[in-house]
Structures are given as structure tokens and as C-alpha cells.
Amino acid sequence: MPERLLAGTRVLDLAGEPAAMTGRILADLGAEVLKVEPPGGDPLRRLEPHRFQAWNAGKASVVCAAGDPGLDELLAGADAVLDTPGFPGALEVDPGRAPHAVWVSVTPFGRTGPRSGWRASDLGVMGSTGNQYSTGDADRPPVRCAEPSAYAHTGPEAALAVLSGLASRTPQRIDVSMQEVVLIANMATPADFPTTGFRGQRRGAAMGRTREIWPCADGWVSFGLRGGKARVPSLQQITRLVAEDGLATPALTERDWGEYSPTTTSDEELRAIEEPIAAYFARHTMAELYQVAVRTNLMLAPACSPREILASEQLAARDFYGPVGDVGCFPRAFVVVRSADGEAAPARPSGPARAAGAGPRPAWDARPHPGGEAGRALWEGTRILELGSGAAGPIATRYFAEHGATVLRIESRTRPDFLRVYALGPDNPHGLEGAVMYDGLNVGKRNVTFNLKHPDAIRLVKRLVHEWADAVAENFAPRAMKGFGLDYDTLAAEKPDLVMISACLNGNTGPHKDYPGFGGQGSALSGYNFLTGWPDRAPVGPHGTITDSLAPASSPPRSPRVSSTGDGRAGAPTSTSVRSRPPCGRSPPGSSTTSTASPSSGWATAPGAPCRTGPSPARGRTAGWTSRSGPTRSGSGSPRSSASPTPTSRRSTGGGPGSTRSRRPWRPGPRTAAGRRSPRPSRPPASRRSRWPTSATSTTTPSSPTGAISSRSPTP
């Protein structure tokens, strides 16, 4: 049997819901993950049983109290420990009991700083980052995704923190702030504030100055009217399609799309461009439009509900769903792993979530001190060669650059990164070098320009791969890398130990692998658009392109325990994002199994059970600006009809924020020097307890410039 990527790595999982996905990711990659539950079991088993199963597959389970002497034996044998200090129902353990281990702690605002003791659920974290402030419609209050997207971001980032700590071979406490994690997902919005005073803006179905979400015959589709060379073929294609339907106007047919830029086009012209395109979409269904998109490489995607995701040929071809335990349609494969010899083990759970305390307690031998060099950057000495553009690749490799890796980006002078092109305009005197979003995603990296159409340039890139790089990361479309002769199969034939991650929209395999797209389409295809917005309006999706910021789920190039045979990973942002979503959906039609699943991330409460976020694809989104622990803003504790003139949350029934139950927000208390909990101080004034910043750019700054992971000194 082939060795799995993290075979031999032991992880002790003490975490609550916000980091439950972390252990699942590590288990999928082959780590031995042991979930330690308090007496009575993890509360998530009772509160969200389907989410518990989805995020805890592949883990073993033991039940013990924090003071149980048997826990010390497990701590002594662990390579890494994951915890969520202060989260209700999660164990509190002194890190000094495992001084040799990498200890990753996830909290709402980090373990240090003025807000280290503040509590927050997903709602509080999203509000504190400015992300929620910029999500929704301008004439209504902000909205949040119907499911906890802050937890979806935190899971893969904390997994990367674990692997980073292990790669350093140094015992340490790694502090993951959920606020800082989500701040990264805001892309460039916070960076604009110091120079422009721009706090962010709710634009509804628009992206910038143009429409992004469009109504069609039976739902909604995502299609961007942004400029840049990468989008010219798509804009030309939509012009042809509109003309074939007899709807074309001079605003489309007489336009030079190569010169088009929404930043310099007048509002009147933009509305003239949008009008015939909107009429074309209104004539066709989501399925019809997506079929056209796949056939013609049009950058369009349906705003999928569980129904559409279940029917996805692409996910089926990539074996995304399959049987796990007694569930026939379980979300199990977020990344496809291959090797030059064809012997790579798949990344998927070894089995279903276990019953609390099921099975014998493992007899782990004590791990010695790893003997790493204290004070050394986590990825120091690692060299990564990066090809691609946009955000999905760069946002992942940025973390390695922040922690000591040398990342070399290959770009083109004739086809510059479209994030550079977006910044061109009369207010940017620096041209391609004045792109705030590009700078934010590529800080600390090196850069070289090659003309990849020239054979000498390809030879130089291959020399870098063979003689310099430890890993290669790319997010081009598959046909582009194959055309260059830089695809995994070609490179691995010459360098069998190559470690390579590919992160194009739909992955490198399957019938839709050549379908091009960016984060906007990924958000639509993975269901995040469907889950965000007001029921009586177009879906909007969380601020930023969430599929890009979830990319680190498949990014780690190598762990110290990975075999040296090399591997190629095709991590599709779409499937990574579908997998990150908590359980929600209907049973597959005609299903005869006792436990059924929907492809949104795969669970239903019973055959035929209604979707928790609404009864139909066009009405399945949550809405609303809810208080932290009370009813919706309208004052009603129960959801209104979608036809109600006063928009309210469809999820809130008078319980916690955006939830069907009351749950106290998470608030880590202060610690003593030894790491133990001290008595909780008196509660802050009600105004502070019930409010969160609406703009991170004006009221909140991250406690660490490096974003999600702050390396701490080894635990004494």
C-alpha cells in the first residue's frame, strides 16, 4: 500500500468547532489524528451532528478529562496538538504538558493584544474584519453567509500552521487569530483605507462598477464584465452569443474588447453593455448557460444550490463524493494526489467519524525533542517556483514567503498579471507597479519575467525546476501548462521527486478541467453565492473571492515526514470550497440508503428533508443583520416570508446569531504565565459585549503583519 503524505505524523485534536476542519484535513493527508473529547462528548455531536460527521471523518476518538493522567501519555506521543482555548465544550490543557510538540491554538482575536479576551462566534469574527460590512446591498444592512465562513477559512489555515511548525522541527506555540485569517480574504480593501479613506462598500450583485450576478430563466449566474487580456476571449464570446440570439447592439458589436476597461468606461456605456447581456441571460436556464460556458470557455458559472452541485459531472469525475461508513455520498476528496510512478495514495478520510471514545486508546511511544534550530523561520531554506496570476495561487504561496521561504514568481511583460492590469487608470501614476491587490498578495516574493512562448524561456524554467526549486506552484488553466511543456507529467518524467501543486478552478482532471474562471465563478459553483444575500434579491457571495482565499487548503509543499518520492497535487478551488462548506442540503433523488447526502458538503437530516437555508434555488439564501444573541433586526424572533417587505434572517429563530439555536459566543479568558485559565474578569459594558467593528480598516489592525500565523517561542 502506498504511503500517505503525512504517514507517521500524530496529531492530538483538542479543538472545538472553529478548528474541527483542521484535523479532518490532516487526517485526509494521512496523519493519525486522535480527537480528545470531554466527558459527555464534543457538544457539536448534539448541536450539529451532520457537521460533526463531515468535519471529523478519519479521526479516532477518546474521552477523558483535562486532568486525566492518561492524557499525559497521549500528549507525550503527539507531534502536534491543536486546541481552541476558551471555546465552550473544548478541553483546556496546559501546553507545558507537551513541551516537545508543535502546539497550534486558534482563538477569535489571537492570544495577545487588547482583544485577546473578547469572545466571538463566526458572526463576531466576520463583523470584526470588515468582510461583513462589505457584503450585501448598499440600501440594506450587512449580511453574513448562512454557514460559518470564518470557520471555513480557519480550518485550512490552521492545518497549514501545523505543517509549518512540523517543517521547522522546532517545538513552539503557534497563535492563529481567526480575525487575521479572514482579513486576508478581504484582499486589498484594508490597504486602500490609509491613502483613500475607502472603508469598503456593499455593492450587491456588482463587482466594482459592473454587474457580476445576473438573473436567468430559473436562477442566477455569475459573469464578470471586467477587463484585461485574460477576459478578452470571454467578452468576445458573449458578444457572439448575444448576436446569435438577435439581441446585439452597437455597444457590444462595435467595441474593441482589447481596449476595454471598466475603470475608464463611462456609466452610460457600462449600462449599454449590460442591457443586451441581461436580456440574453434571461432567456436561458442555468444549465443551458453553463453548458455553453463549458463548450466555449465562457467565464460564466451558475449560482449552484445543492441540487446543481449534486448533478456536477466534474465533481463526479474527480471522485469528490463516495461512500464513507454508511453514507453513500460523502464529501471525501478535496485534492487529487498523483506521483510519477502512479503509486501515490489518495487524500481522503480513512473512515467515518467515530463514536465518542470508540476503540482502544492508542499506545503512542513518547516523541523526543525534534532538535530544530530555535529562532529559525518556519520555512527558511525552502524554495518555491510560482507560475500563474490572480489570487488563488499567490494567496497560498504568500504564507510561505512570510515564514522564510524564497518564492520566485514568473510573469510576462506582454501578458502581465491581470491584478496589475485592474489597477491601471487615471488615479494610478505607477502603472503596473501600482496595483494594491497584487502587492498585498505577493509581498516578500521575488519576480522575473519570461516570454514562455520562446523555447529558451521554457528551458530556463525547467532548469529552475530541476536545479533550484523544492516545489512548484501554479494556477494556470491545464491546457496552458501542457502547451508550455510545464505540466506535472512532463516535469515529473525528468524529475520524479518533483513536488507540485496545481490550483486551477476545476482541477487538472475531469470533463470541465479546461473551463477557465476566477474566484467569482468558483464562489458560484461551490454554493457560497447561493448561501449569501437577501431572499428577495440576487445572491451576493461573501466579500472577496472566497474560493481564492480558501486555496491554502491544498498548498503545503511538503511535510518533514512526507516520503521523498514526490507528488503532484491538483487542488481545485471549486472542490476545496465545496468541501469547506458545512452540511446543508437535500437527499439525492431516489436514494435508498439510510444515511443520505447532498453534494454541498454532503448531508441531509432525513430523506427529502428541506434545505436548511430555504426551499428553492432562487430563495435558498439567508439574510439579515442579526444581533449577537438575540432576534433579527426587525424585532421578530421568527423568520418572515421571502415576500415580506421587511427583510429578516431566514435562519434566526430567536437564538444565537444566524442560528436556529442559542449558543454563547466564544470568549477566551486571560491566562496565567503557565498557560492555565485564571478567573474570568467582570464582563465589559453591554455596548462592548454586543457590538463589533464594522470596518477593520478604520477600527482594527491585525496584531501581526504576517497575517494568519504568528510564530511563538517554544513553550518552556
Side-chain angles (χ1 to χ4, degrees):
M1 176 109 181
E3 188 176 70
R4 303 178 75 191
L5 291 171
L6 297 181
T9 301
R10 301 171 184 166
V11 179
L12 203 63
D13 186 354
L14 311 177
E17 182 182 2
M21 191 194 303
T22 301
R24 163 71 198 273
I25 291 171
L26 298 172
D28 283 4
L29 294 174
E32 183 180 359
V33 180
L34 179 62
K35 182 172 180 61
V36 181
E37 305 183 52
D42 187 333
L44 193 62
R45 289 182 179 272
R46 302 182 299 278
L47 296 171
E48 294 279 3
H50 301 132
R51 182 179 301 164
F52 180 89
Q53 292 182 58
W55 286 359
N56 288 280
K59 304 177 187 178
S61 172
V62 298
V63 173
C64 65
D68 189 334
L71 181 57
D72 288 308
E73 297 178 7
L74 298 174
L75 288 166
D79 297 302
V81 181
L82 180 70
D83 72 348
T84 49
F87 189 78
L91 288 179
E92 299 262 1
V93 177
D94 181 358
R97 293 166 70 179
H100 66 287
V102 170
W103 199 291
V104 176
S105 295
V106 177
T107 58
F109 301 102
R111 297 178 55 252
T112 60
R115 295 185 179 178
S116 59
W118 283 29
R119 63 187 183 189
S121 62
D122 170 77
L123 178 66
V125 171
M126 297 306 291
S128 72
T129 62
N131 189 287
Q132 186 171 322
Y133 176 85
S134 299
T135 300
D137 295 275
D139 61 336
R140 290 185 179 178
V143 297
R144 64 180 281 271
C145 182
E147 298 291 345
S149 54
Y151 299 169
H153 281 98
T154 300
E157 303 257 6
L160 178 56
V162 170
L163 294 181
S164 298
L166 292 174
S168 74
R169 299 182 182 273
T170 305
Q172 57 195 289
R173 186 84 179 271
I174 299 180
D175 180 4
V176 179
S177 159
M178 295 173 64
Q179 181 191 40
E180 294 174 21
V181 166
V182 179
L183 276 168
I184 299 298
N186 291 343
M187 305 292 183
T189 304
D192 284 334
F193 180 76
T195 56
T196 66
F198 180 64
R199 301 176 60 206
Q201 181 180 355
R202 293 185 295 282
R203 293 191 172 100
M207 178 72 74
R209 298 179 61 215
T210 59
R211 191 174 187 92
E212 183 82 12
I213 306 296
W214 309 72
C216 62
D218 64 345
W220 308 87
V221 293
S222 172
F223 178 78
L225 286 173
R226 286 164 275 168
K229 286 189 176 181
R231 292 185 179 268
V232 169
S234 191
L235 295 171
Q236 293 172 336
Q237 182 62 43
I238 193 64
T239 300
R240 287 191 290 269
L241 292 169
V242 172
E244 289 171 4
D245 260 27
L247 298 171
T249 65
L252 295 181
T253 58
E254 297 179 8
R255 187 167 301 278
D256 182 355
W257 292 112
E259 298 297 323
Y260 163 77
S261 171
T263 60
T264 57
T265 304
S266 68
D267 288 342
E268 184 180 2
E269 286 182 279
L270 291 176
R271 302 296 85 78
I273 292 171
E274 291 176 348
E275 184 177 355
I277 294 175
Y280 170 74
F281 290 153
R283 288 185 174 185
H284 301 278
T285 65
M286 289 192 294
E288 291 169 348
L289 291 170
Y290 187 52
Q291 288 171 2
V292 170
V294 171
R295 186 178 72 249
T296 65
N297 286 343
L298 182 69
M299 291 185 186
L300 174 148
C304 290
S305 71
R307 180 185 66 188
E308 289 77 38
I309 299 176
L310 176 62
S312 171
E313 297 176 44
Q314 178 66 13
L315 292 178
R318 286 175 62 84
D319 202 23
F320 182 83
Y321 291 101
V324 173
D326 61 355
V327 177
C329 189
F330 190 94
R332 61 180 186 176
F334 75 101
V335 65
V336 174
V337 182
R338 298 190 296 129
S339 61
D341 60 8
E343 295 296 322
R348 60 181 57 171
S350 58
R354 310 277 183 87
R361 181 174 298 192
W364 286 352
D365 58 304
R367 289 293 201 205
H369 190 290
E373 181 182 344
R376 188 171 181 266
L378 298 180
W379 290 101
E380 184 177 334
T382 301
R383 294 174 293 194
I384 300 175
L385 188 67
E386 180 178 3
L387 300 94
S389 61
I395 202 171
T397 55
R398 167 185 161 167
Y399 296 111
F400 296 99
E402 288 175 343
H403 293 283
T406 300
V407 179
L408 177 63
R409 280 184 55 78
I410 294 178
E411 293 192 57
S412 167
R413 288 189 182 276
T414 58
R415 292 179 65 90
D417 191 310
F418 66 86
L419 294 183
R420 293 184 182 272
V421 176
Y422 285 167
L424 297 178
D427 297 328
N428 175 13
H430 306 292
L432 294 175
E433 302 302 326
V436 174
M437 184 180 294
Y438 175 92
D439 291 344
L441 299 180
N442 294 286
V443 62
K445 302 178 185 178
R446 299 181 181 182
N447 184 292
V448 63
T449 56
F450 284 155
N451 178 5
L452 295 181
K453 295 181 179 180
H454 197 289
D456 287 346
I458 298 299
R459 282 193 287 271
L460 285 171
V461 173
K462 288 186 175 181
R463 280 192 62 190
L464 288 168
V465 172
H466 288 267
E467 301 174 18
W468 181 81
D470 296 306
V472 177
E474 64 88 13
N475 68 318
F476 280 127
R479 63 174 61 185
M481 291 297 284
K482 193 173 184 64
F484 295 143
L486 298 174
D487 57 298
Y488 174 74
D489 290 331
T490 301
L491 294 176
E494 302 171 6
K495 186 181 181 180
D497 63 345
L498 173 68
V499 174
M500 184 172 180
I501 175 69
S502 297
C504 59
L505 186 68
N506 275 330
N508 282 336
T509 59
H512 302 166
K513 63 180 173 55
D514 293 321
Y515 162 77
F518 299 106
Q521 289 100 296
S523 182
L525 288 170
S526 62
Y528 272 100
N529 286 106
F530 173 77
L531 288 172
T532 314
W534 298 92
D536 58 335
R537 291 192 179 176
V540 295
H543 173 66
T545 49
I546 191 168
T547 52
D548 293 335
S549 50
L550 289 171
S554 55
S555 66
R558 193 187 291 274
S559 162
R561 297 184 183 277
V562 173
S563 84
S564 59
T565 56
D567 68 86
R569 270 165 271 179
T574 297
S575 56
T576 299
S577 300
V578 172
R579 181 181 175 279
S580 75
R581 283 180 43 199
C584 162
R586 291 180 179 273
S587 309
S591 173
S592 60
T593 60
T594 56
S595 297
T596 57
S598 105
S600 57
S601 67
W603 302 91
T605 54
C611 179
R612 283 169 34 190
T613 52
S616 70
R619 299 289 177 184
R621 297 172 302 282
T622 188
W625 189 10
T626 58
S627 67
R628 296 186 62 225
S629 58
T632 60
R633 189 169 175 81
S634 66
S636 170
S638 59
R640 293 177 181 266
S641 162
S642 61
S644 168
T646 304
T648 61
S649 170
R650 295 177 64 123
R651 277 177 58 81
S652 177
T653 56
S659 174
T660 56
R661 64 183 186 276
S662 178
R663 178 187 285 182
R664 288 187 63 193
W666 171 21
R667 181 190 182 192
R671 295 183 175 276
T672 64
R676 295 185 177 87
R677 183 73 57 198
S678 63
R680 189 175 303 281
S682 60
R683 302 181 74 187
S687 59
R688 181 175 139 184
R689 293 200 311 269
S690 61
R691 293 194 177 193
W692 295 94
T694 55
S695 173
T697 57
S698 60
T699 62
T700 304
T701 57
S703 60
S704 168
T706 59
I709 307 171
S710 300
S711 178
R712 304 296 180 196
S713 301
T715 302

